[in-house]
Amino acid sequence: MKKAIMILLNGESIPHLFITIIRYVLPSEDHTIQKLLLLYLEIIDKKDSSGKALPEMILICQNLRNNLQHPNEYIRGVTLRFLCRLNETEIIEPLIPSVLSNLEHRHPFIRRYAILAIMSIYNLPNGDQLLVDAPEMIEKALSSEHDASAKRNAFLMLFQCAQDRAVNYLLSHVDNVADWGELMQMVVLDLIRKVCRTNRGEKGKYIKIIISLLNVPSTAVVSECAGTLVSLSSAPTAIRAAANTYCQLLVSQSDNNVKLIVLDRLNELKVLHREIMVDMIMDVLRALSSPNLDIRRKTIDIVLELITSKNIDEVVLTLKKEVMKTQSGELENSGEYRQMLIQAIHTCAIKFLEVASTVVHLLMDFLGDSNVVSALDVVLFVREIIESNPKLRVSIITRMLDTFYQIRAARVCSSALWIIGEYCLSLSEVESGISTIKQCIGDLPLYTVSDETETTPDKQVNSQKINSSAVASSRKPAVLADGTYATQSAASETAVSAPTLVSGTLSSPGNLRSLILTGDFFLGAIVSCTLTKLILRLGEVQPSKVEVNKACTNALLIMVSMLQLGQSSYLQHPIDNDSYDRILVCIRLLCNTDNEVRKIWLESCRQNFAKMLAEKQFREIEEIKAKVQVSHAQPDDLIDFYHLKSRKGMSQLELEDEVQDDLKRATGEFVNDGDEANKLNRIMQLTGFSDPVYAEAYVTVHHYDIVLDVTVINRTRNTLQNLCLELATMGDLKLVERPQNYTLAPESTKQIRANIKVSSTETGVIFGNIVYETSNVNERTVIVLSDIHIDIMDYISPATCSDVAFRSMWAEFEWENKVAVNTVIQDEQQFLGHIIKSTNMKCLTAPSALDGQCGFLAANLYAKSVFGEDALVNVSIEKQTDGKLSGYIRIRSKTQGIALSLGDKITIKQKGGS
């Protein structure tokens, strides 16, 4: 029996086996055999070519009648369950009396499936004639039923077949709804949603039922209640109750998937009802107790869009506590979590400058963090705060100079040095800045060449003793220009222990020396620029020229030592030309300075940084304005005046709901003109107009699901039998279920729905055919359908990320697709706009960086898929002498599918200008 069932499921037909099974399997009393028999009967064709039931089915009817009267409850139950899947009226009609007799069986298992069987029979095309009084019988059974599952099935039958009876039963038992079982309550919520969609005026009495269900112990019911409440009502009381419910689920549920779903619901509430969600911000923050990074990230994203001047202090205090927890090392992924918290605090401090003073000194303790990205976030935050909040300048500079020696990353050192060079303004700050840099560089020279013939052992011993506390000497012989031998010596750090402050000085050379000795001359050039700025500023604030000249001499020694090290053979790679030229410019500047150059070095850099911050803030404000939905109402739209309405018998919740609906109607929020045009764009023709069967599909893409609503029209005058829509997929698409066979009358229409699951962001293809039979022709007719291409644009949406994060992902992602520019567009800005529109991505490059007509353009684009995948695009184009554009568009992603699909999309779209 199992093998026969598998063969049938694979599409093969074995009609000769049917009589054998009736003779030998049908009489068996074994329960497993009987269950397999019912599965077999469910799969086989029970009709002949003319559409009538097979004569052999008479034997099956007698067996089914015996089973429905069997003394064993299991046999009765599985037989009733089999009848739920039976669509042949000729077979079912003789069994109806036996089915009805099971409604009063003593065992609830039998009554449950008897109700479902009656519902299935009543839903058949002529079912209301077979069971005329079925709703009345089920309503009677419902009133006397005590089993929760049987009661739920009875209410479900009334809900689907006699909605008025279900509503009357619900309204007559309003006070007992909270005591019903979980399954019954879920059906009640489905009924309420259906009733309120058809008649929104009656939702007031049903919302009371929903609110009463918010306190039941079942989390599934509570979650459904909250969702139903949001979909039916816009009243602040209802939205607040739903938000409270979601926040409770967020804390009480241990499943991470549940928490992520709840956070998505809260995010939707934040978009539609931000004022109410602002009051819930501390409840949302409780989700940070979860160790899962995705939950923490989503929680922080929601919270950052809800901060106001009223709750900013509480939010920042909570974030500070979480940062301090990461220092203990007990938390998993503490480095990544700390990075998220630092970025969140950064955002808070930029929006509300008054809180910066409470967090900036705490975060500066992480300048030496082993997580380079986290330390870099801190120093960029400090750089922005010190410019936007001048009152904190002195305290930040003091703390920066005290903690500078802890920094171990070159990129963090570079930004910290820029801050020291720009914002050390007073005499004591400038002198402390120069002293700190000198101590972190250590003893000079960094590199020495001594003639072996003139160097005595004592001198060598003494020179080694000088640096024995922190550095060791690496020596190798070399031939000088005059042919004599000499020894090259380079100092390298041997002790990694943190230096300690002794009488205001460092007891050992610090971070800058070790980084420069590894060949990082870009950092060396930044050290030179910082020293140059400090010396120039010292000349303005220090009256003693002797002190200025002394500091200038020491700075020149440091720069010359770096040049000497860079040109030595000790390092594997010599100094690069850019760093060499930069250090030389600093040396020439200190030797001969005029007022114009001094002004450029001391003022212009900070002024441009202030302009960059102002532009960044302007872009953020513009993005917020763009997100605000602009709704317009028609001048002849109906307006209900709230104050003139009768309030008799209306609760406070209903009154609030009326106000919210009036506001939405007045602002045109209920109207969306783009929906109709969008629907027309999603209709795809599958067959030709001359085909005997016309088919078209309406494609709906919703995150992980694709729904095809296929309209099939029989254009012939013949009845089409066993008409089947056969579909197959290519790519990461999976057909959920096979559509069943249908019989289509002449010139009639049939709606067929197919569900497809999507597992990744990749362009997929759905193809197939329509197969049918006619009474005149024994052969099956096949009509091949047009292919349906699923567009990658349905899965990705514009997103933002920091430049640091973009560069980090660009270096990390391994899949790259390089597309050559081939377009008729001749303007760089127009081409970039066309690519952004075609790929549904966001340009991260600032508009000021794209201004001008220099003939070159480079921009970074970013988008995120519904599956959490990142898509990075770099556009680099150049205008040729003949006016054409050339260059490359490079796409990088973590997965191959999105890189290839996005590349194909760009290749197709880049030629057009519209």
Side-chain angles (χ1 to χ4, degrees):
M1 286 301 297
K2 289 181 179 178
K3 286 187 177 180
I5 290 171
M6 292 302 298
I7 291 171
L8 288 170
L9 287 175
N10 288 329
E12 297 184 31
S13 177
I14 42 177
H16 60 277
L17 196 62
F18 183 70
I19 297 299
T20 306
I21 289 175
I22 288 178
R23 288 180 60 188
Y24 298 106
V25 179
L26 200 63
S28 175
E29 292 292 331
D30 187 273
H31 292 179
T32 305
I33 297 296
Q34 284 295 319
K35 184 176 181 180
L36 291 172
L37 174 64
L38 293 174
L39 287 174
Y40 172 80
L41 294 175
E42 183 183 337
I43 298 169
I44 63 170
D45 291 329
K46 292 172 275 295
K47 293 183 178 181
D48 56 17
S49 58
S50 61
K52 297 181 180 180
L54 294 170
E56 297 87 351
M57 287 298 141
I58 299 173
L59 299 173
I60 299 298
C61 285
Q62 184 60 40
N63 177 260
L64 293 176
R65 185 184 294 109
N66 294 336
N67 284 352
L68 290 174
Q69 298 170 358
H70 201 281
N72 185 274
E73 288 85 359
Y74 177 76
I75 296 296
R76 285 199 188 198
V78 294
T79 306
L80 287 167
R81 187 166 56 188
F82 166 71
L83 293 180
C84 295
R85 301 181 176 93
L86 209 58
N87 298 320
E88 287 72 24
T89 309
E90 298 91 335
I91 303 173
I92 290 176
E93 190 171 3
L95 304 175
I96 290 177
S98 302
V99 173
L100 294 177
S101 64
N102 284 296
L103 271 179
E104 300 176 356
H105 195 276
R106 59 180 178 79
H107 204 287
F109 178 74
I110 308 297
R111 298 198 299 272
R112 291 174 205 165
Y113 285 108
I115 295 170
L116 290 179
I118 292 172
M119 181 174 69
S120 176
I121 295 170
Y122 192 81
N123 285 329
L124 290 175
N126 298 321
D128 53 347
Q129 298 175 9
L130 296 175
L131 285 170
V132 180
D133 55 348
E136 186 179 347
M137 286 189 294
I138 295 298
E139 186 176 15
K140 183 179 177 182
L142 177 60
S143 59
S144 59
E145 184 60 63
H146 299 289
D147 179 67
S149 296
K151 202 169 184 177
R152 175 258 181 194
N153 291 348
F155 190 78
L156 180 64
M157 193 270 180
L158 292 180
F159 165 42
Q160 293 187 356
C161 304
Q163 186 173 306
D164 293 339
R165 292 178 182 270
V167 170
N168 292 334
Y169 181 82
L170 174 61
L171 295 179
S172 61
H173 296 80
V174 170
D175 298 332
N176 301 325
V177 173
D179 300 326
W180 290 351
E182 176 183 344
L183 297 175
M184 183 82 164
Q185 290 169 346
M186 297 290 278
V187 180
V188 167
L189 291 173
D190 288 338
L191 174 64
I192 291 174
R193 278 195 292 265
K194 186 175 181 181
V195 171
C196 291
R197 285 195 189 103
T198 55
N199 190 358
R200 296 184 64 88
E202 295 185 1
K203 63 183 178 181
K205 49 187 167 185
Y206 295 109
I207 287 177
K208 297 175 186 176
I209 301 174
I210 298 172
I211 292 179
S212 68
L213 290 175
L214 287 175
N215 300 318
V216 299
S218 171
T219 53
V221 174
V222 167
S223 177
E224 280 295 313
C225 279
T228 305
L229 206 55
V230 172
S231 64
L232 296 182
S233 175
S234 302
T237 305
I239 301 301
R240 195 171 288 108
N244 271 320
T245 301
Y246 284 136
C247 290
Q248 290 171 8
L249 290 172
L250 199 59
V251 178
S252 62
Q253 296 300 303
S254 58
D255 191 337
N256 289 338
N257 293 320
V258 174
K259 290 189 176 186
L260 289 170
I261 292 171
V262 170
L263 285 171
D264 286 336
R265 300 289 181 272
L266 288 171
N267 192 40
E268 293 171 4
L269 284 181
K270 176 206 70 181
V271 175
L272 299 174
H273 309 280
R274 185 179 184 277
E275 297 80 7
I276 297 171
M277 286 301 298
V278 164
D279 298 332
M280 312 293 299
I281 191 168
M282 297 310 296
D283 295 317
V284 177
L285 272 174
R286 292 164 67 187
L288 291 178
S289 59
S290 171
N292 185 276
L293 280 179
D294 292 327
I295 293 173
R296 287 170 166 170
R297 184 178 293 108
K298 192 165 284 191
T299 302
I300 290 174
D301 290 341
I302 293 172
V303 167
L304 289 181
E305 296 189 26
L306 295 176
I307 53 176
T308 62
S309 56
K310 294 180 180 179
N311 58 31
I312 184 65
D313 293 330
E314 291 180 300
V315 172
V316 170
L317 182 62
T318 304
L319 295 177
K320 281 173 62 178
K321 289 179 180 177
E322 292 295 317
V323 169
M324 294 169 70
K325 287 180 185 177
T326 61
Q327 291 179 285
S328 62
E330 298 176 359
L331 298 176
E332 296 181 13
N333 303 313
S334 58
E336 293 183 50
Y337 183 38
R338 182 162 59 245
Q339 180 186 340
M340 281 193 290
L341 292 170
I342 289 170
Q343 291 173 349
I345 293 174
H346 184 177
T347 305
C348 294
I350 296 303
K351 288 184 178 179
F352 302 92
L353 293 177
E354 60 271 14
V355 303
S357 59
T358 62
V359 295
V360 66
H361 297 104
L362 170 67
L363 295 185
M364 288 182 73
D365 291 335
F366 297 100
L367 285 171
D369 196 350
S370 57
N371 186 341
V372 178
V373 179
S374 177
L376 191 59
D377 286 336
V378 172
V379 77
L380 295 179
F381 165 65
V382 172
R383 186 182 69 177
E384 199 164 341
I385 289 299
I386 199 172
E387 171 62 33
S388 57
N389 202 336
K391 295 180 181 178
L392 299 176
R393 186 192 63 79
V394 176
S395 61
I396 289 176
I397 284 295
T398 305
R399 189 64 179 271
M400 177 69 75
L401 294 174
D402 289 342
T403 58
F404 184 78
Y405 72 90
Q406 299 175 352
I407 304 174
R408 295 295 169 185
R411 294 170 67 187
V412 182
C413 275
S414 302
S415 297
L417 286 169
W418 186 87
I419 293 171
I420 292 172
E422 289 294 333
Y423 296 98
C424 285
L425 302 180
S426 65
L427 177 59
S428 60
E429 291 170 351
V430 173
E431 291 177 343
S432 298
I434 296 173
S435 175
T436 300
I437 294 174
K438 284 177 59 180
Q439 290 162 359
C440 290
I441 290 289
D443 297 327
L444 297 177
L446 298 172
Y447 169 83
T448 59
V449 179
S450 56
D451 194 326
E452 281 189 346
T453 57
E454 298 177 359
T455 305
T456 63
D458 293 339
K459 289 181 180 179
Q460 292 179 6
V461 171
N462 291 334
S463 65
Q464 289 181 8
K465 285 182 178 178
I466 294 173
N467 295 329
S468 62
S469 61
V471 295
S473 184
S474 172
R475 297 173 175 272
K476 57 182 179 179
V479 180
L480 298 180
D482 58 358
T484 60
Y485 285 93
T487 300
Q488 291 182 344
S489 172
S492 61
E493 186 178 9
T494 58
V496 194
S497 57
T500 56
L501 284 169
V502 180
S503 302
T505 61
L506 291 169
S507 62
S508 63
N511 43 6
L512 293 180
R513 187 184 190 92
S514 61
L515 291 170
I516 292 173
L517 287 174
T518 60
D520 191 346
F521 289 103
F522 177 72
L523 178 62
I526 294 173
V527 170
S528 301
C529 293
T530 303
L531 285 172
T532 302
K533 291 178 183 178
L534 292 174
I535 298 300
L536 293 177
R537 190 164 284 114
L538 183 65
E540 294 181 351
V541 297
Q542 173 62 266
S544 173
K545 296 299 180 183
V546 177
E547 294 295 328
V548 176
N549 291 335
K550 183 179 177 182
C552 182
T553 304
N554 290 329
L556 289 171
L557 281 174
I558 293 173
M559 297 177 198
V560 171
S561 295
M562 287 190 288
L563 290 177
Q564 191 180 18
L565 174 66
Q567 294 177 330
S568 70
S569 58
Y570 163 70
L571 296 175
Q572 187 175 0
H573 300 287
I575 186 172
D576 58 283
N577 293 332
D578 290 338
S579 301
Y580 180 83
D581 294 342
R582 189 72 170 162
I583 296 173
L584 277 184
V585 167
C586 294
I587 293 174
R588 293 194 185 103
L589 188 60
L590 290 178
C591 295
N592 185 13
T593 309
D594 57 21
N595 292 331
E596 287 297 325
V597 175
R598 182 187 299 269
K599 184 178 179 182
I600 291 172
W601 276 72
L602 295 183
E603 297 179 11
S604 298
C605 192
R606 202 188 322 164
Q607 290 173 356
N608 288 326
F609 178 61
K611 289 180 182 178
M612 187 191 81
L613 291 182
E615 183 182 341
K616 179 183 175 184
Q617 187 176 7
F618 175 76
R619 287 181 65 192
E620 291 175 352
I621 294 172
E622 290 297 316
E623 287 177 4
I624 293 172
K625 289 181 180 178
K627 289 181 181 178
V628 177
Q629 182 181 4
V630 179
S631 302
H632 301 285
Q634 295 299 323
D636 56 346
D637 283 351
L638 179 67
I639 298 178
D640 292 330
F641 289 94
Y642 162 67
H643 292 287
L644 301 181
K645 278 188 175 181
S646 172
R647 306 185 187 183
K648 191 174 182 180
M650 295 180 70
S651 65
Q652 181 63 30
L653 185 62
E654 291 176 86
L655 291 173
E656 291 179 6
D657 212 25
E658 289 288 339
V659 175
Q660 294 298 321
D661 285 352
D662 287 348
L663 287 173
K664 287 184 177 181
R665 196 173 290 108
T667 56
E669 194 172 329
F670 284 149
V671 181
N672 193 348
D673 296 332
D675 285 351
E676 295 300 325
N678 193 30
K679 286 180 181 179
L680 292 174
N681 292 334
R682 292 186 175 275
I683 296 176
M684 305 189 67
Q685 184 178 339
L686 301 181
T687 62
F689 291 113
S690 60
D691 288 322
V693 175
Y694 176 77
E696 63 181 20
Y698 176 67
V699 184
T700 305
V701 179
H702 182 71
H703 290 194
Y704 308 102
D705 300 307
I706 298 174
V707 179
L708 298 182
D709 289 308
V710 183
T711 303
V712 179
I713 303 175
N714 180 6
R715 302 179 68 246
T716 68
R717 296 187 178 181
N718 300 321
T719 300
L720 305 183
Q721 299 171 357
N722 295 327
L723 184 142
C724 180
L725 175 68
E726 297 180 348
L727 296 175
T729 59
M730 187 173 66
D732 286 336
L733 305 176
K734 182 180 179 182
L735 196 64
V736 177
E737 57 187 8
R738 292 179 61 189
Q740 61 186 25
N741 294 346
Y742 301 95
T743 299
L744 209 57
E747 299 181 354
S748 63
T749 302
K750 185 70 179 177
Q751 296 287 339
I752 304 175
R753 172 167 289 192
N755 293 304
I756 296 168
K757 286 288 182 185
V758 187
S759 56
S760 72
T761 310
E762 185 178 347
T763 299
V765 180
I766 303 171
F767 55 94
N769 48 56
I770 292 177
V771 182
Y772 64 89
E773 299 174 355
T774 58
S775 57
N776 301 331
V777 183
N778 292 329
E779 296 181 359
R780 305 186 75 186
T781 306
V782 179
I783 299 176
V784 180
L785 306 178
S786 300
D787 294 345
I788 301 174
H789 293 266
I790 304 302
D791 196 351
I792 187 179
M793 295 301 106
D794 292 321
Y795 302 113
I796 67 172
S797 57
T800 57
C801 70
S802 64
D803 291 339
V804 176
F806 187 92
R807 287 193 292 269
S808 175
M809 288 188 287
W810 187 268
E812 176 189 350
F813 292 169
E814 56 186 358
W815 291 103
E816 177 175 303
N817 191 1
K818 193 174 183 181
V819 180
V821 173
N822 181 16
T823 181
V824 296
I825 303 173
Q826 297 189 354
D827 182 73
E828 305 98 306
Q829 298 281 359
Q830 183 185 351
F831 178 74
L832 176 63
H834 178 63
I835 293 297
I836 292 173
K837 182 180 178 181
S838 302
T839 57
N840 197 25
M841 303 187 82
K842 182 175 180 60
C843 182
L844 300 181
T845 307
S848 59
L850 301 174
D851 288 343
Q853 298 292 332
C854 63
F856 297 91
L857 187 144
N860 293 330
L861 313 181
Y862 179 66
K864 208 172 183 68
S865 75
V866 296
F867 305 99
E869 300 166 317
D870 300 289
L872 313 178
V873 173
N874 174 261
V875 181
S876 299
I877 50 179
E878 176 187 0
K879 194 165 189 176
Q880 302 293 331
T881 54
D882 57 358
K884 295 182 178 180
L885 297 181
S886 65
Y888 291 97
I889 302 170
R890 297 167 66 195
I891 307 148
R892 286 198 182 183
S893 66
K894 206 168 188 176
T895 57
Q896 183 183 18
I898 193 170
L900 293 175
S901 301
L902 206 53
D904 294 340
K905 184 74 175 179
I906 291 174
T907 303
I908 295 171
K909 290 285 187 179
Q910 69 168 325
K911 293 184 179 181
S914 60

